[in-house]
Amino acid sequence: DPFAGDPPRHPALRVNSWKPFNAEPPPELLTRSFLTPNELFFTRNHLPVPSVEPGSYRLRVEGPGGRSLSLSLAELRQRFPKHEVTATLQCAGNRRSEMSRVRPVKGLAWDIGAISTARWGGARLRDVLLAAGVGDNTGDDTGDDNEWHVCFEGLDADASGTPYGASIPLKRALSAEAEVLLAYEMNGQELPRDHGFPVRVLVPGVVGARSVKWLRSVAVSAAESPSHWQQKDYKGFCPSVDWDSVDFGAAPAIQELPVQSAITEPRPGAAVPAGELTVKGYAWSGGGREVVRVSGDGGWAGGVGELMGWGIGEIGGGKWGNEWGMGEMGNEWGGGLGK
Ligand code: MTE
Ligand code: MO
């Protein structure tokens, strides 16, 4: 059993698939706290969880012109300043079970919990790429508008030895504002095994699939990742396309995700007492765009907030707008907690 070495999991997680392991926190636990506790953070694995011995771990970084680096975990921690960012990760399949009620969709039947928020710590991908010889004009010499890319590979591999992989545009990787991390900490602890121990990519505001876990290699390339998950999955199509007519080459790979929101309490079909009712939920937008308004019947109390990323709040209880300080948010990719 290739999954025999998978780590233990929290019993409260709602499991969509055991092998590979895919699970989400129950809605009411997701909005109990602004940062999702590590053991409740949704997990999306395509393959068995690799066992990595931190002492012998090496990250390979391939820059332009054949230049490369091999970094131990200690070197990654010591050579590059630690940067922290609060960011929400969402799987492209979040809320698929609701979509399937409108029209059947292929894929894991996620409820509303394939989204979670953490405080991530690690080296900036930008700093590591600069150390590998990437300059701000890398990719400018193609003579056309084609973007360059940064390709990532994981240490998890299928039976044929092919690893999980994905890529992001080089422009995002080099942008200081985009805050792309090679993360080794999650909520102040080392990464849990399910979330990429010892190092993962963390791309704020972008579909979870690009935040490659158990990171083995980073390579600057004129082309996107050749991986199945970049080329033949995680793309969006119009409603007339179905699984029999799909041409994956015809659509761009998903990067930034659009706005998303869901109500976590009460759940659909729940019996509720007459009178005033507190409704809880979350709102988030990809690409670092602000959530400027959330409305329910009678409005989201507290009104407009400057949510860069993720907010959780209650409708009807008041005070959404002032319970989350800018101090905690700053220019980050997380929103705030409201009541
Ligand atoms: N990285 C590797 N190496 N293998 C994977 O299966 N899954 C991706 C991404 N990175 C995956 C991966 C997908 S589709 C998502 S949504 C996120 O990891 C989920 O991250 P999490 O499990 O930490 O929530
Ligand atoms: Mo995903």
Side-chain angles (χ1 to χ4, degrees):
D1 176 2
F3 296 93
D6 271 21
R9 276 90 184 207
H10 197 282
L13 287 171
R14 301 252 172 95
V15 178
N16 294 321
S17 140
W18 280 100
K19 298 176 180 186
F21 189 71
N22 290 290
E24 61 190 296
E28 65 280 9
L29 295 186
L30 184 58
T31 41
R32 186 176 284 180
S33 57
F34 170 59
L35 296 177
T36 318
N38 287 357
E39 61 278 10
L40 293 176
F41 201 98
F42 87 95
T43 300
R44 203 309 176 216
N45 295 342
H46 292 83
L47 298 161
V49 176
S51 278
V52 185
E53 212 284 288
S56 50
Y57 171 80
R58 289 287 180 287
L59 174 64
R60 185 170 172 81
V61 185
E62 290 173 29
R67 201 159 147 186
S68 74
L69 292 176
S70 170
L71 298 168
S72 69
L73 194 51
E75 285 166 337
L76 187 67
R77 287 171 175 273
Q78 284 153 22
R79 269 185 70 176
F80 305 96
K82 179 167 138 188
H83 186 74
E84 290 188 80
V85 60
T86 302
T88 299
L89 261 193
Q90 181 181 227
C91 183
N94 191 30
R95 300 182 63 198
R96 188 179 280 128
S97 55
E98 287 168 282
M99 295 178 219
S100 285
R101 261 171 247 147
V102 179
R103 202 178 141 192
V105 199
K106 203 175 149 116
L108 288 167
W110 294 107
D111 191 12
I112 63 175
I115 184 166
S116 300
T117 301
R119 179 95 177 147
W120 306 92
R124 282 181 190 265
L125 175 58
R126 173 187 161 80
D127 294 344
V128 174
L129 289 175
L130 294 179
V134 177
D136 281 323
N137 51 4
T138 301
D140 281 359
D141 55 359
T142 50
D144 55 35
D145 292 335
N146 288 341
E147 267 182 321
W148 277 46
H149 304 270
V150 180
C151 302
F152 309 115
E153 281 183 347
L155 287 157
D156 50 337
D158 66 17
S160 76
T162 308
Y164 183 88
S167 62
I168 60 170
L170 177 63
K171 217 179 286 166
R172 180 177 290 273
L174 288 178
S175 157
E177 279 179 5
E179 303 192 279
V180 181
L181 293 188
L182 303 184
Y184 43 75
E185 277 179 17
M186 183 175 178
N187 292 327
Q189 293 167 289
E190 65 182 21
L191 288 181
R193 285 189 60 211
D194 264 329
H195 300 291
F197 179 83
V199 179
R200 78 173 302 164
V201 184
L202 192 278
V203 195
V206 161
V207 65
R210 314 300 169 215
S211 287
V212 174
K213 305 190 276 189
W214 314 290
L215 187 62
R216 169 167 88 172
S217 70
V218 172
V220 175
S221 162
E224 280 187 276
S225 167
S227 158
H228 168 86
W229 292 278
Q230 189 77 19
Q231 303 289 340
K232 296 280 163 72
D233 204 351
Y234 298 108
K235 295 192 170 189
F237 297 93
C238 71
S240 63
V241 172
D242 63 22
W243 204 255
D244 299 319
S245 63
V246 67
D247 170 11
F248 276 101
I254 297 172
Q255 294 284 343
E256 293 183 0
L257 287 172
V259 70
Q260 175 69 292
S261 70
I263 287 173
T264 53
E265 286 178 68
R267 298 303 296 142
V272 295
E276 190 176 300
L277 179 68
T278 298
V279 176
K280 290 192 184 187
Y282 63 74
W284 176 80
S285 180
R289 285 180 292 273
E290 296 170 5
V291 171
V292 294
R293 183 167 56 86
V294 182
S295 58
D297 280 357
W300 192 264
V304 174
E306 217 190 315
L307 292 181
M308 279 294 288
W310 158 265
I312 65 178
E314 295 179 2
I315 300 175
K319 290 197 297 188
W320 164 267
N322 48 17
E323 283 243 328
W324 34 276
M326 285 302 292
E328 204 194 330
M329 289 171 55
N331 60 348
E332 303 192 0
W333 301 77
L337 174 59
K339 271 200 181 157

